[in-house]
Amino acid sequence: MTRLGYIGLGIMGRGMASNLVQAGHDLTVWNRTATKAEGLDVSVVTSPRDVGPASDIVFVCVSDTPDVEEVVFGDFGVIHGMTEGDLLVDHSTISPHATRDFATRAGQLGIDWIDAPVSGGSEGAVNGTLAVMAGGSAESLERCRPYMESYSKSIVHVGDEPGAGQMVKAVNQILVVLNQLAASEALMLAEGAGLDLSRTLEAVEGGAAGSWMLSNRGPQMIERDWRPGFTIDLQQKDLRLVLEAADEIGVPLPGVALVYQLYRSLQNQGLGAEGNHALVKALENLAGFELSE
Ligand code: NAP
């Protein structure tokens, strides 16, 4: 039986780990804040390194590029406990460039690397309906696919090169934030026009204007429920990665640049820990009025 490890039990990682356990897999986990493993039927170890000897495949889901580097290659990193032939699957959203470097460093130790960022929000992690965009060798992807299926409805191999998955995730994030901006502008006009916001949502979401963002975050925006499925701070991290990639390639992305500045204004107001749907607050600041239920 393949032994599985999981590092990073945040909003996304805990949902994925929980689905692995429910599918009957034994799991060894490490999270920086140990209390986040409470209530999961897993073996908890005290450093990322200790996940290695207990696992054939290690899944990682932490915040940003330096965090992946720390939990994998740092002094107590998992790589030091892994052996040749093991596989590391990174579900974090990080730099495609750095991913290529990480995969090379792991490869020198005989450990293969699949970059497998996900989309589908906190709901997707809990309900097992994530979309995975995977880069790396097809053979290694097939090795981890059965486990990823316990929390994903779609797993697409987007390229043999490590980093391909992260680049597709950058594409994904353009669609996410521009959908979020569209939902925000739409609700602002509805509010300004004195429309019933819930009725308006109901009327448009089934047509060509519908989107995951509108259906899942629209009601939260109307209720002014700013709890994060995905924080503004992490959303900004992703937009930084998108803008860096676009800059290197030379592709103008004016819409993303605009949303980046709007989120920055909210971070400056101290709202970085709120959900990314709080983008509408930047438009409220411009308009001088707020959405009301
Ligand atoms: P989160 O709830 O903030 O969790 C972040 C996780 O990373 C926590 O387990 C945290 O540990 C750990 N971590 C961060 N820095 C670390 C470090 N230096 N050393 C060790 N552990 C560290 O974030 P999330 O929403 O689950 O996001 C995780 C990743 O998934 C991010 O790359 C994000 O962009 C991506 N993602 C998120 C969503 C979403 O809707 N939330 C969707 C798709 C992709 P502690 O518990 O100790 O803080």
Side-chain angles (χ1 to χ4, degrees):
M1 190 172 164
T2 303
R3 300 165 310 146
L4 305 179
Y6 209 106
I7 293 176
L9 300 174
I11 290 176
M12 298 302 285
R14 187 177 159 110
M16 289 188 250
S18 172
N19 275 307
L20 282 169
V21 172
Q22 277 173 38
H25 302 296
D26 287 337
L27 207 55
T28 300
V29 307
W30 178 81
N31 193 62
R32 183 176 57 186
T33 308
T35 49
K36 289 195 188 166
E38 282 172 8
L40 282 179
D41 185 15
V42 292
S43 305
V44 182
V45 292
T46 52
S47 89
R49 189 190 188 291
D50 295 338
V51 175
S55 316
D56 305 306
I57 302 179
V58 175
F59 298 87
V60 174
C61 189
V62 294
S63 304
D64 200 351
T65 310
D67 308 312
V68 172
E69 183 159 33
E70 189 177 332
V71 300
V72 177
F73 298 104
D75 289 346
F76 299 97
V78 66
I79 207 91
H80 307 303
M82 295 175 79
T83 50
E84 199 174 335
D86 288 350
L87 175 61
L88 193 144
V89 179
D90 183 21
H91 282 312
S92 325
T93 303
I94 64 165
S95 153
H97 255 321
T99 292
R100 285 191 281 277
D101 172 52
F102 294 165
T104 302
R105 287 159 67 186
Q108 285 161 354
L109 301 169
I111 295 157
D112 210 2
W113 187 289
I114 292 288
D115 55 304
V118 298
S119 184
S122 50
E123 296 89 339
V126 170
N127 299 330
T129 55
L130 291 172
V132 180
M133 38 218 93
S137 95
E139 196 184 327
S140 291
L141 176 59
E142 290 318 308
R143 202 173 147 201
C144 56
R145 186 188 288 273
Y147 311 107
M148 295 202 293
E149 280 173 345
S150 69
Y151 46 76
S152 314
K153 67 170 183 203
S154 146
I155 302 168
V156 178
H157 186 217
V158 295
D160 295 329
E161 285 298 311
Q166 297 295 353
M167 198 55 89
V168 173
K169 174 72 185 193
V171 171
N172 182 84
Q173 292 309 74
I174 296 173
L175 295 163
V176 164
V177 295
L178 293 184
N179 271 307
Q180 182 60 66
L181 181 64
S184 302
E185 290 199 355
L187 286 176
M188 287 302 290
L189 179 64
E191 175 70 35
L195 295 170
D196 179 310
L197 298 186
S198 296
R199 281 283 174 86
T200 304
L201 259 191
E202 193 185 340
V204 302
E205 70 178 345
S211 69
W212 185 97
M213 199 55 84
L214 193 65
S215 295
N216 286 275
R217 299 294 175 241
Q220 270 188 273
M221 289 155 73
I222 294 170
E223 287 161 21
R224 305 196 76 70
D225 172 1
W226 309 117
R227 285 174 298 171
F230 189 45
T231 64
I232 287 174
D233 284 341
L234 284 180
Q235 183 70 83
Q236 267 308 67
K237 174 263 302 179
D238 287 1
L239 295 190
R240 173 176 49 76
L241 295 171
V242 172
L243 291 169
E244 280 170 7
D247 190 38
E248 279 167 26
I249 302 165
V251 179
L253 298 179
V256 175
L258 169 65
V259 177
Y260 185 79
Q261 300 304 334
L262 293 174
Y263 276 129
R264 172 53 46 82
S265 74
L266 298 178
Q267 286 180 308
N268 289 348
Q269 282 181 257
L271 304 180
E274 293 196 349
N276 59 349
H277 53 295
L279 179 64
V280 73
K281 290 188 177 181
L283 300 186
E284 291 176 342
N285 291 339
L286 291 173
F289 63 85
E290 291 184 351
L291 300 184
S292 57
E293 261 186 87

